[in-house]
Amino acid sequence: MRTVLAVLFDGVQSLDVSGPVEVFHGAERHRPGTYRIRTVTADGGPVRTSSGLTLVPDHSFADAPAAHTLLVPGGEGTRRPDPGLVDWLREQGPRAVRLVSVCSGALLLAEAGLLDGRRVTSHWSVCARLARDHPSVEVDPDPIFVRDGNLATSAGVTSGIDLALALVEEDTGRDVALSVARHLVVFLRRPGNQAQFSAQLTAQTARREPLREVQLGAPPTPLGQWGRISEHPGADLSVEALAARARLSPRHFARAFHAETGTTPGRYVDRVRLEHARRLLEDTAGGVEEISRACGYGTPEAMRRAFVRTLGTAPAEYRRRFRPTPVH
């Protein structure tokens, strides 16, 4: 039996705790004897979450059981962490078989020196701080969760559920994880390298109207109802075509687009096309050839290269692993 020990503190994000705990509890319900779930606070007393809920723990630091999976959630309480909590994590973290953080819980692990030399992620709003304050930590702000040996870190709130499902699948197999996902009415699991934000949210919004029209869409113009890049991934989205729609020269358009959005037109289009292809693979029964044409790749081989380059897997394998199984 694996003991999952969730650390609680004042200002903890309640969903960072309850989401993964529900996953592990669901696995225990489907396969008794798999997990024992316990919670712990510094003194064994209750804590108040950032949303005002009160959580009552099972243990104090002094009498907590040894953890197989030490779960460290995030929340407002990570902004100015209790030194005693950091000291306890520094001592207990290396003893756990598996160390897991959700959201800004990675800040606590970093303060305890447990992330040095490791690749991690966290909630997008704290990744810059994590990288700045802990330069020895390799921070990847994009994925929803990252595995590095026995360390697993996840992004904000619901990504903790995705990570917990991945751990359950690793511990018990796909059938149990799928049963838990069905019970919770969620995907079996989103891929860990799925971005925290879509291309449209990642890129800044252009200030100038011609660029904004190309990026985000606009009411019909003399150029026609062309709309957003994201709504027409199969269209001609070359720099020359986009520049013509923005009424700019290709060179001026490329330079201005990068200056105002923080990315090049080509990278923006690549990401939009990949996101659209992933949604179609997950949500429709369309064939790979059909989807490749609809997303502007032209050929299945071109889409396969884009998937392998960015996601490390081919489209067919991506669909097999991540298309949700219908619940009857």
Side-chain angles (χ1 to χ4, degrees):
M1 180 175 287
R2 301 168 179 87
T3 296
V4 178
L5 185 62
V7 182
L8 308 180
F9 48 87
D10 282 323
V12 69
Q13 169 81 34
S14 56
L15 192 55
D16 287 2
V17 180
S18 61
V21 162
E22 287 291 343
V23 171
F24 290 118
H25 173 70
E28 169 63 19
R29 185 175 61 250
H30 283 88
R31 183 171 294 176
T34 302
Y35 296 108
R36 178 176 61 173
I37 302 163
R38 296 291 185 268
T39 53
V40 61
T41 62
D43 60 1
V47 295
R48 193 170 179 82
T49 71
S50 57
S51 61
L53 298 176
T54 297
L55 301 181
V56 181
D58 299 303
H59 301 281
S60 68
F61 287 168
D63 63 8
H68 173 278
T69 299
L70 184 59
L71 176 67
V72 183
E76 295 175 2
T78 63
R79 295 178 181 176
R80 291 178 294 276
D82 175 11
L85 169 59
V86 173
D87 289 343
W88 184 83
L89 289 173
R90 184 179 296 115
E91 178 184 356
Q92 297 299 320
R95 299 178 181 178
V97 175
R98 191 161 57 196
L99 195 56
V100 177
S101 72
V102 182
C103 195
S104 58
L107 292 174
L108 298 177
L109 295 182
E111 286 292 326
L114 299 172
L115 302 185
D116 292 348
R118 311 295 288 272
R119 177 172 171 261
V120 307
T121 194
S122 186
H123 191 278
W124 61 267
S125 66
V126 301
C127 281
R129 171 187 167 186
L130 182 59
R132 182 191 67 240
D133 294 349
H134 303 279
S136 61
V137 179
E138 181 186 349
V139 181
D140 187 345
D142 196 39
I144 59 172
F145 64 82
V146 167
R147 301 291 303 278
D148 185 347
N150 72 331
L151 173 68
T153 55
S154 61
V157 289
T158 57
S159 62
I161 295 175
D162 297 299
L163 175 53
L165 282 168
L167 298 177
V168 166
E169 184 175 1
E170 177 182 292
D171 292 342
T172 67
R174 183 180 177 85
D175 289 346
V176 172
L178 181 58
S179 296
V180 175
R182 284 174 169 169
H183 182 74
L184 296 178
V185 197
V186 296
F187 289 111
L188 171 55
R189 63 183 173 98
R190 294 180 290 171
N193 53 13
Q194 181 169 322
Q196 294 190 39
F197 286 113
S198 67
Q200 291 72 40
L201 289 178
T202 300
Q204 304 169 42
T205 301
R207 296 186 303 275
R208 281 182 277 182
E209 186 174 342
L211 299 177
R212 193 164 58 247
E213 287 179 6
V214 169
Q215 184 186 11
L216 300 180
T221 70
L223 294 176
Q225 300 184 27
W226 184 75
R228 303 182 183 185
I229 289 175
S230 62
E231 293 174 351
H232 300 270
D236 180 2
L237 302 180
S238 65
V239 170
E240 291 75 17
L242 296 175
R245 291 178 176 111
R247 308 172 193 83
L248 299 171
S249 72
R251 184 176 180 181
H252 186 191
F253 171 81
R255 185 170 58 247
F257 190 95
H258 184 273
E260 296 204 14
T261 67
T263 190
T264 66
R267 289 174 183 166
Y268 186 82
V269 168
D270 286 347
R271 188 160 184 175
V272 167
R273 282 178 167 157
L274 188 68
E275 287 177 2
H276 192 64
R278 288 166 68 166
R279 286 197 298 271
L280 291 179
L281 288 169
E282 293 171 5
D283 300 337
T284 76
V288 171
E289 184 172 354
E290 175 188 351
I291 291 173
S292 67
R293 289 197 304 269
C295 296
Y297 289 110
T299 66
E301 177 58 24
M303 187 168 82
R304 189 193 72 81
R305 288 196 301 268
F307 267 67
V308 171
R309 181 176 61 251
T310 306
L311 303 176
T313 188
E317 175 64 12
Y318 179 90
R319 167 174 273 172
R320 188 190 71 79
R321 295 179 61 195
F322 301 121
R323 186 180 181 189
T325 301
V327 179
H328 299 290

